[in-house]
Structure formats: C-alpha cells, structure tokens
C-alpha cells in the first residue's frame, strides 16, 4: 500500500534534533527523501545515520542566504526536485520582559524566526515549486496568539510568521499550499531551558496534563504536507494539548 509521501522530497530546516528531527523521521518512514539542515555537523550526521539512506544532511545557518541557496541547490541536484519545505529552524535567546530586549537579540530573532522562512520559501519556489507544485509548513507557536511574561518578542516573530503563512498561501496558490503548525510547550532542548517553577506553572495550564512531544508535531506536519490536506492552505493549526482553550477568549 503506497505511503503518503512515496517519491516525494523534502527539506527540513533545523532538522538535526527536536521537532525537526521528528518531522524528518516521520517523512522518511512515509516514503520521502529528506534533506535536514542545521548548524552542527555532528548532530546532522547522527540524524542521517539514524534515519538511513533516504536522509541527507547539509550544514547551514537558517538565516544565512548563501547557505540556504546552497542547500536548495544541493537538494535539487540530489533529489531532482523539492516537493516540500518545512521551515522549522528557530531561536529564542531571550527570557525576560519584552521591554528589556536588546537590539542584537531583536535582530537575531527576526532574522531566524521571521525572515529565514520567507527566504527559504522564495528559494524552493524559484527552484521549481511554481512549476510542479508543492507544500510548505512553517513551525510557529501558540505564543503568537497570547501575551506571555518572558517570551514576548519571540511570540511577536511567530505572530509575523503566522501572517506570512497566510500571505504566501494567497500568493502561491494553487501551485503551492502554505500552512503552519503552532505547537504548545514541547519537551525539547529549548523548553528544557525554562526554569522549573515556570515549567510547573505552564503544565498546570495544559488540559491534556502533559507537555507535547516532537512526534505530536511531526504527525500533523506530515498530514499538512500530504495530498490528504490538499484543500488546506493558509491555516495555522494549534497542537497544544488544549492550552489555548484554557486561555479562553485569547484563543480566538
């Protein structure tokens, strides 16, 4: 029985660990060939070794235009085409009030979380998606919809990403579908940096009673890329254990 992604090819930025690695694994198991990118070669090599010959890797900082162009060109040479792009790479170097965020952090957050997804999408569009079609999924955050005390500017970049998702969906249809997944708190290295008192408080606000896993996000990402979601574009799908429900009107 054919799998969802037989014969398809994908690029997953930030694909060496956490959510990105889980997405790459989900796609490989469903028949795709995948290029994972990231900054750290040992982690990329480990991911590719685990996922097998269908997974390739390339070192690239997501916000480096030359590195991004090199990755897309490599994918086209290796796979013949790119069908899917998952803009997963993100940073959150600030923990504290938004009013105190310094210009260098603003620049870093904006370049990686907001600008890089646009640039990578431009590259795959120009590399053939506008002719043969494809799908893009941006990894956002439920923080884009709510105000939080310590991650405000990160949330602002994700809110911009949500709007970029809708804008590109309108512009690139019908050839390319563009959707986003908005995770709640997922047990990854980034979440592990949150101090324990805050983690306990956050857990108390999740109706499902647990933090999410990278696999939770990988499953919905795989669906959105697949033909089963062929009439979905411009959507931001929250996968958060009910956290937005607990925020009441803020979820709308």
């Amino acid at each position: 029985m054919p799998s969802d992604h037989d014969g398809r090819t994908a690029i997953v930025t930030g694909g060496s660990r956490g959510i990105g690695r889980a997405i790459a694994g989900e796609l490989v198991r469903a028949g795709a060939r995948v290029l994972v990118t990231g900054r750290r070669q040992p982690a990329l090599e480990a991911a590719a070794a685990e996922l097998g010959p269908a997974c390739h890797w390339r070192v690239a900082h997501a916000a480096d235009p030359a590195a991004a162009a090199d990755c897309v060109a490599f994918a086209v040479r290796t796979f013949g085409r790119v069908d899917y792009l998952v803009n997963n790479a993100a940073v959150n170097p600030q923990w504290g009030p938004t009013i105190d965020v310094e210009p260098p952090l603003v620049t870093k957050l904006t370049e990686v979380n907001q600008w890089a997804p646009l640039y990578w999408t431009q590259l795959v569009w120009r590399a053939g998606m506008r002719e043969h079609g494809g799908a893009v999924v941006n990894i956002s955050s439920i923080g884009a919809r709510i105000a939080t005390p310590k991650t405000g500017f990160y949330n602002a970049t994700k809110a911009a990403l949500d709007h970029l998702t809708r804008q590109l969906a309108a512009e690139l249809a019908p050839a390319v579908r563009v959707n986003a997944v908005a995770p709640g708190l997922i047990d990854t290295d980034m979440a592990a940096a949150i101090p324990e008192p805050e983690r306990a408080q956050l857990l108390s606000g999740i109706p499902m009673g647990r933090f999410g896993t990278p696999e939770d996000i990988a499953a919905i990402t795989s669906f959105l890329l697949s033909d089963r979601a062929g009439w979905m574009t411009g959507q931001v799908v929250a996968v958060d254990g009910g956290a937005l429900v607990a925020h009441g009107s803020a979820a709308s």
Side-chain angles (χ1 to χ4, degrees):
M1 181 177 178
S3 296
D4 277 349
H5 304 301
D6 279 346
R8 305 292 175 88
T9 64
I11 297 174
V12 180
T13 69
S16 66
R17 58 182 182 159
I19 290 172
R21 185 164 176 168
I23 291 169
E26 183 83 10
L27 294 176
V28 166
R29 287 188 291 274
R33 292 178 295 161
V34 179
L35 174 67
V36 293
T37 75
R39 292 178 296 163
R40 296 179 177 86
Q41 181 171 332
L44 291 165
E45 290 178 334
E50 177 188 337
L51 297 178
C55 182
H56 297 251
W57 59 270
R58 202 79 168 170
V59 174
H61 190 294
D64 181 340
D70 171 73
C71 287
V72 173
F74 175 83
V76 172
R77 290 196 308 271
T78 303
F79 302 143
R81 57 190 275 160
V82 178
D83 298 299
Y84 306 144
L85 170 65
V86 180
N87 285 308
N88 168 70
V91 294
N92 186 19
Q94 194 234 0
W95 179 258
T98 306
I99 198 67
D100 294 331
V101 67
E102 297 293 335
L105 293 183
V106 169
T107 298
K108 183 175 183 177
L109 281 155
T110 303
E111 286 181 346
V112 177
N113 298 356
Q114 183 177 333
W115 179 81
L118 171 60
Y119 189 67
W120 284 79
T121 304
Q122 289 174 332
L123 287 169
V124 296
W125 171 257
R126 295 165 184 166
M129 272 196 191
R130 62 182 157 192
E131 286 81 31
H132 60 66
V136 176
V137 172
N138 297 319
I139 305 302
S140 182
S141 168
I142 63 167
R145 307 189 197 182
I146 56 178
T148 58
K150 300 292 181 67
T151 57
F153 196 78
Y154 169 84
N155 292 348
T157 64
K158 292 299 188 176
L161 181 60
D162 286 358
H163 184 75
L164 179 66
T165 297
R166 291 185 287 268
Q167 184 68 35
L168 290 177
E171 292 184 13
L172 305 188
V176 174
R177 296 182 300 105
V178 185
N179 292 291
V181 177
L185 188 61
I186 306 299
D187 247 340
T188 63
D189 291 345
M190 187 181 290
I194 299 173
E196 190 55 41
E198 282 87 350
R199 282 174 62 88
Q201 182 178 5
L202 289 167
L203 181 58
S204 70
I206 300 175
M208 292 299 291
R210 67 171 176 88
F211 296 131
T213 68
E215 291 71 25
D216 291 322
I217 307 308
I220 190 64
T221 301
S222 176
F223 168 74
L224 289 172
L225 292 170
S226 76
D227 292 341
R228 290 185 293 155
W231 212 44
M232 288 183 68
T233 196
Q235 302 304 305
V236 180
V237 181
V239 184
D240 65 351
L244 285 178
V245 174
H247 278 83
S249 60
S252 61

